[in-house]
Amino acid sequence: MERGVESEPTRIMLAVNESSIKGYPHASISSRGAFEWTLQKIVRSNISGFKLLFLHVQVPDEDGFDDMDSIYASPEDFQAMKHRDKTRGLHLLEYFVKKCHEIGVPCQAWIKKGDPKEVICHEVRRVGPDMLVVGSRGLGPFQKVFVGTVSEFCAKHAECPVVTIKRKADEAPEDAVDD
Amino acid sequence: MERGVESEPTRIMLAVNESSIKGYPHASISSRGAFEWTLQKIVRSNISGFKLLFLHVQVPDEDGFDDMDSIYASPEDFQAMKHRDKTRGLHLLEYFVKKCHEIGVPCQAWIKKGDPKEVICHEVRRVGPDMLVVGSRGLGPFQKVFVGTVSEFCAKHAECPVVTIKRKADEAPEDAVDD
């Protein structure tokens, strides 16, 4: 158990995403909930004992959804879209990294593209964190059919202990599928 | 987020059970794994920031299994069996409480009777811990059919964040169903 010898910090990976609420370009309610839970309940005052690893997976299709009315007439148009996606992803990670710096918790953050559940499990294998924290909307079975749940997949397949943090009932937006 | 004000300790409930290996009257491999993981990865040196709550659920039938060859001729025989069950449960909890006292982590421990998965979820509702840690044998789907998995049920139904800690491959006993 090696008490006394203070070992390497506990590395906690947090999978974070943007809010799906229109006109609200910020971290999703469940991402922020998972982050705050990790700070309050796990890290607490022991800021040197932990390192937070933020992974944001961008979904190519979903990110293009806002561009339904755009016209792509040249390769440069796609380039502009890609640039905007990247900016949004960076903006999201900046939120978490900034908070960590304010508190003094060491952190790292990066962006990957693809299917979130597959990419998260792949990154867990690659990076080998001590645990993975994922937020969840806490949807009922009927809602899940349509939106799937990344958290359930990760809890089952990620090769490290996984904690799923459900959104509080009083934080749910008008449409429960939103986040 | 109330940093600075050190709030109430984080209350972590651990569901622990005895080893199913014959002639090995100790905590199961997965219970010990979950406990050591909690100390190493979560509590770390911040011993005053946490409180561990150990719940042991005794299964009436399973506990009677060793008594298959016994003859019960009077109410006192049952009394003796009940007494032995209680002693075993206390012996189990003593292991964890003693370790906590050595380290200095505040703890509490208690025994309940019934179906482990149901009782654990009921106790989570009653006690309201910040998270639940359960050990798991990490069985494949074929083995699960016969033994069920308490950890999966709790991860789905317990009304708090749940971490499932799988047993390390090199700690598995000869028969993977054993623990």
Side-chain angles (χ1 to χ4, degrees), chain A residues 1 3 6-10 36-37 39-42 44-46 49-50 103 130-131 161-163 165, chain B residues 1 3 6-10 36-37 39-42 44-46 49-50 103 130-131 161-163 165:
Chain A
M1 212 167 308
R3 311 286 314 173
E6 189 71 340
S7 49
E8 292 288 298
T10 297
E36 281 165 25
W37 182 87
L39 290 177
Q40 282 171 19
K41 301 299 184 185
I42 306 285
R44 300 182 58 98
S45 60
N46 187 12
F50 294 87
I103 299 162
D130 293 303
M131 67 193 279
V162 179
V163 201
I165 308 299
Chain B
M1 213 168 305
R3 310 286 313 172
E6 189 70 343
S7 49
E8 292 288 297
T10 297
E36 281 165 24
W37 182 88
L39 289 177
Q40 282 171 17
K41 301 300 184 184
I42 306 286
R44 300 183 57 96
S45 60
N46 187 12
F50 294 88
I103 298 162
D130 293 304
M131 68 193 278
V162 179
V163 201
I165 308 299

Side-chain angles (χ1 to χ4, degrees), chain A residues 5-103:
Chain A
V5 182
E6 189 71 340
S7 49
E8 292 288 298
T10 297
R11 295 158 75 240
I12 302 180
M13 188 186 278
L14 287 117
V16 296
N17 61 356
E18 287 175 308
S19 176
S20 61
I21 302 168
K22 285 273 171 200
Y24 185 77
H26 298 297
S28 67
I29 298 167
S30 57
S31 292
R32 279 181 288 132
F35 174 55
E36 281 165 25
W37 182 87
T38 304
L39 290 177
Q40 282 171 19
K41 301 299 184 185
I42 306 285
V43 175
R44 300 182 58 98
S45 60
N46 187 12
I47 52 172
S48 64
F50 294 87
K51 182 168 185 176
L52 302 187
L53 312 171
F54 298 98
L55 167 64
H56 170 49
V57 185
Q58 282 191 329
V59 186
D61 284 344
E62 198 181 276
D63 285 340
F65 192 78
D66 285 343
D67 299 303
M68 288 289 274
D69 298 328
S70 303
I71 296 168
Y72 303 104
S74 71
E76 286 73 29
D77 291 340
F78 287 96
Q79 210 54 49
M81 190 186 77
K82 279 185 190 162
H83 178 73
R84 198 164 64 241
D85 280 357
K86 202 179 165 185
T87 307
R88 285 170 55 188
L90 289 175
H91 177 73
L92 173 73
L93 292 182
E94 193 184 8
Y95 169 84
F96 294 103
V97 172
K98 213 173 152 187
K99 290 254 177 193
C100 284
H101 274 248
E102 281 168 14
I103 299 162

Side-chain angles (χ1 to χ4, degrees), chain B residues 100-168:
Chain B
C100 284
H101 274 248
E102 281 168 16
I103 298 162
V105 186
C107 72
Q108 249 177 34
W110 68 104
I111 299 173
K112 290 273 171 185
K113 291 238 173 216
D115 178 1
K117 60 186 193 303
E118 301 286 352
V119 174
I120 294 166
C121 291
H122 180 270
E123 289 297 282
V124 163
R125 263 197 308 281
R126 188 179 68 82
V127 173
D130 293 304
M131 68 193 278
L132 170 70
V133 180
V134 279
S136 154
R137 287 166 287 188
L139 300 176
F142 183 74
Q143 295 159 323
K144 276 183 197 166
V145 172
F146 298 101
V147 300
T149 72
V150 172
S151 58
E152 273 190 23
F153 184 92
C154 293
K156 203 160 183 175
H157 295 101
E159 290 174 8
C160 74
V162 179
V163 201
T164 303
I165 308 299
K166 281 193 193 129
R167 209 165 53 181
K168 287 174 204 136

Side-chain angles (χ1 to χ4, degrees), chain B residues 3-177:
Chain B
R3 310 286 313 172
V5 182
E6 189 70 343
S7 49
E8 292 288 297
T10 297
R11 294 159 76 238
I12 302 181
M13 189 187 277
L14 286 117
V16 295
N17 60 357
E18 288 174 307
S19 176
S20 61
I21 301 170
K22 285 274 171 198
Y24 185 75
H26 298 296
S28 67
I29 299 167
S30 57
S31 292
R32 279 181 288 133
F35 174 55
E36 281 165 24
W37 182 88
T38 304
L39 289 177
Q40 282 171 17
K41 301 300 184 184
I42 306 286
V43 174
R44 300 183 57 96
S45 60
N46 187 12
I47 52 170
S48 63
F50 294 88
K51 182 169 187 175
L52 302 188
L53 313 173
F54 298 98
L55 167 64
H56 171 48
V57 185
Q58 283 191 329
V59 186
D61 284 344
E62 198 181 276
D63 284 342
F65 192 78
D66 284 343
D67 300 304
M68 288 287 275
D69 298 328
S70 304
I71 296 168
Y72 303 103
S74 70
E76 285 73 30
D77 290 341
F78 287 97
Q79 210 54 47
M81 189 186 77
K82 279 185 192 162
H83 178 73
R84 197 164 63 243
D85 280 359
K86 203 179 163 186
T87 306
R88 286 170 55 186
L90 289 175
H91 178 73
L92 173 74
L93 292 181
E94 193 185 8
Y95 169 84
F96 294 103
V97 171
K98 213 174 151 186
K99 291 255 178 192
C100 284
H101 274 248
E102 281 168 16
I103 298 162
V105 186
C107 72
Q108 249 177 34
W110 68 104
I111 299 173
K112 290 273 171 185
K113 291 238 173 216
D115 178 1
K117 60 186 193 303
E118 301 286 352
V119 174
I120 294 166
C121 291
H122 180 270
E123 289 297 282
V124 163
R125 263 197 308 281
R126 188 179 68 82
V127 173
D130 293 304
M131 68 193 278
L132 170 70
V133 180
V134 279
S136 154
R137 287 166 287 188
L139 300 176
F142 183 74
Q143 295 159 323
K144 276 183 197 166
V145 172
F146 298 101
V147 300
T149 72
V150 172
S151 58
E152 273 190 23
F153 184 92
C154 293
K156 203 160 183 175
H157 295 101
E159 290 174 8
C160 74
V162 179
V163 201
T164 303
I165 308 299
K166 281 193 193 129
R167 209 165 53 181
K168 287 174 204 136
D170 62 358
E171 287 180 343
E174 222 164 291
D175 184 344
V177 174

